[in-house]
Each structure stands twice: as C-alpha cells, then as structure tokens.
Amino acid sequence: MSSESVPSFDVIGSAQRALDAAQRGDRDAEARLDELRGPLAALAEAGDLEARSLLGGIALEYDEDAVAALRHFTLAAEQGHPAGQRGLGHLLMTGRGTQRDPERAERLFTLAAEAGDSHAMFNLAMMHLMDTATDRMSPQAVMTLLMTAAEQDVPEAAGVLGDWFSEVGREVDALTWYERAAQGGHGPSIATGVRYRDAVGTDRDVVRSLTWFLMMLQVGNGDGIHESHQLVSGMSDQQIREAARRAHSPEWAEALINSRRQ
C-alpha cells in the first residue's frame, strides 16, 4: 500500500511517531518522515489542521526552517487548533521566524492549554515559574498544570516536578517524578540513578541505579559513563548483567565487567 492510500489517521499517527523518533536521531525515522511529507501536505491542503500543525513541527524541529513553521502554525492557530496555537506561541516566545511577543505567546498557550494540549500546559506553567507571564496564577494552579502535563506524558514537566519536590525536601515524591521523566527520555535519568545509588528517597538499589545510568547512553547522553564505571566496582557480574538487560543493552554488560577487572 502506498503512503498516499493510507487513511489520514494512519498518516498523522505515523508522522508524529516518526518525528519523535527523528528528534532522537533515528535515521530510519527521518526517511519515513520524507515519505510522509506528500500525504501530510495533501491532508493539510484539504483542511486537516492536525496535518498542518505536524508540518509546522517537522519544519521547525527537523528542517530547522522557522519561517515555514510559522506559516503552518499560523494557518492552524487561526482556525483554533491547539497544536497550532502552541506551536505559534513557541515561535513568538522564542522569536524564531518572527519577532518575540511573549504576551501573545501566553494567550496562545492559555487557549491551547484550556483545550487540553498538555505541552501548552507545560509551556504556560514554565512562563509563570520563570516570571515571564503577564497574567497572575496561583502556585497551586501552576502545580496543577505541571502535574496534568506530566500525567499526559510530557517528561519535561515530570522533571520540573522532581526538581520542585527535591527543593522542598520531599525526596520520595522527587524520585517518583524523576523516574517518570527518565522513563520518557528526559534528562533526569542521572538524578534517578544517583538517588538509587545514594538511597535518597528510597532504599539503595545498585541495579536500578546502573540501569538508569546506562539508559542515558541510549539517548546519546554520556554523562552517566563515569558514574557507571564507579558503580560497577562494587557490583557482582550478575548484577551488572541484570542492569544492562533492564537497560535493553545486554552487550554493555561484558564491557563493564571487563573494565572493572583492568
């Protein structure tokens, strides 16, 4: 079956998954995105706002073409599409492809958040946390936005919640949110690994700790390499192999075992 004959919901779903994977450096996903551009453009021209917003995301994140992204997001936002509103808000907030306009960005994030867009909820919450918002929102309302976004699979929101709970000394809660962020591929993998290593907010668990350090390598983050080598010095071969298995990279186990013996 050709890409053009695939139902629209399959094209859109496939494009979203491919875009997410391409952002993680998946070359196969990049090729798939190229295949889906034509069908997405056809859907967008036929009035599909989800396809239009996706084209904006591809232009911005994959092509690094902020001007094209601005065109797509504006067309979708003008017709009330939440992802288009959020995308246009991002461009206005950062000044990519257009002049900065934080007040308009805030209005667009608010509209998209009220429509249920979880990434817009995160963006709006961050504006308030960074004191760049013009409207007033209580800390409780900001926390609700972050929690809703995190529960709807925005790992960055979970990472911010982990930081907040850690700052107020609620380390058990901090670990919960850091682990959720790490499961979504966000940076706090190292914070999660350190907490299991040092028994912060949990019992010491070297297998889980090493698992999270190794998971960082899967997303191209080498910050956990040093911690991994230090940790394995006190681990058994079986523990190292189990951590590598949980990290979906069993081939790393023997390299770590051998490095410990040198």
Side-chain angles (χ1 to χ4, degrees):
M1 180 181 291
S2 67
S3 297
E4 288 77 5
S5 63
V6 177
S8 62
F9 60 86
D10 285 345
V11 170
I12 291 169
S14 296
Q16 184 62 69
R17 290 189 294 273
L19 178 59
D20 292 342
Q23 290 171 335
R24 297 192 297 269
D26 187 329
R27 294 296 179 84
D28 292 336
E30 292 178 8
R32 181 59 176 156
L33 267 182
D34 288 335
E35 294 176 0
L36 290 167
R37 288 175 187 270
L40 273 177
L43 288 172
E45 290 302 318
D48 191 308
L49 300 180
E50 190 70 32
R52 178 68 69 186
S53 295
L54 262 174
L55 286 171
I58 292 170
L60 184 64
E61 303 296 342
Y62 180 48
D63 298 335
E64 297 186 359
D65 187 346
V67 174
L70 177 66
R71 181 176 69 253
H72 290 302
F73 286 142
T74 299
L75 286 170
E78 286 176 345
Q79 298 181 69
H81 191 260
Q85 292 169 332
R86 181 236 306 161
L88 180 56
H90 172 74
L91 295 179
L92 291 166
M93 189 68 201
T94 59
R96 295 182 65 183
T98 186
Q99 289 187 332
R100 288 189 74 248
D101 189 341
E103 290 188 16
R104 188 181 173 203
E106 182 182 355
R107 291 195 297 271
L108 287 165
F109 288 151
T110 300
L111 288 171
E114 289 174 347
D117 188 288
S118 56
H119 289 278
M121 294 177 193
F122 173 68
N123 292 340
L124 184 59
M126 291 306 297
M127 288 192 74
H128 285 275
L129 289 176
M130 298 173 69
D131 293 325
T132 57
T134 58
D135 195 10
R136 291 186 177 181
M137 184 179 291
S138 69
Q140 293 81 2
V142 174
M143 188 64 63
T144 297
L145 282 175
L146 284 173
M147 286 190 170
T148 303
E151 289 166 356
Q152 293 181 10
D153 299 324
V154 179
E156 295 85 355
V160 172
L161 286 167
D163 290 341
W164 187 87
F165 281 114
S166 181
E167 287 174 5
V168 298
R170 293 173 56 177
E171 294 296 352
V172 174
D173 292 318
L175 177 61
T176 297
W177 289 110
Y178 277 140
E179 193 154 19
R180 188 160 191 160
Q183 288 167 348
H186 187 51
S189 293
I190 193 164
T192 309
V194 166
R195 277 165 167 73
Y196 278 115
R197 183 194 66 194
D198 298 343
V200 179
T202 184
D203 294 331
R204 178 173 165 82
D205 189 328
V206 292
V207 173
R208 284 192 178 185
S209 178
L210 181 58
T211 297
W212 285 118
F213 291 146
L214 294 178
M215 289 289 285
M216 295 175 66
L217 300 178
Q218 288 191 337
V219 294
N221 187 336
D223 290 345
I225 292 176
H226 178 69
E227 284 77 5
S228 296
H229 283 291
Q230 283 194 325
L231 192 61
V232 298
S233 64
M235 294 176 66
S236 68
D237 292 1
Q238 182 179 357
Q239 287 176 317
I240 294 170
R241 291 188 178 108
E242 175 60 17
R245 183 192 67 79
R246 293 185 187 183
H248 310 294
S249 297
E251 68 278 7
W252 290 337
E254 300 312 312
L256 286 169
I257 291 170
N258 290 333
S259 71
R260 184 191 57 186
R261 291 169 177 164
Q262 292 176 356

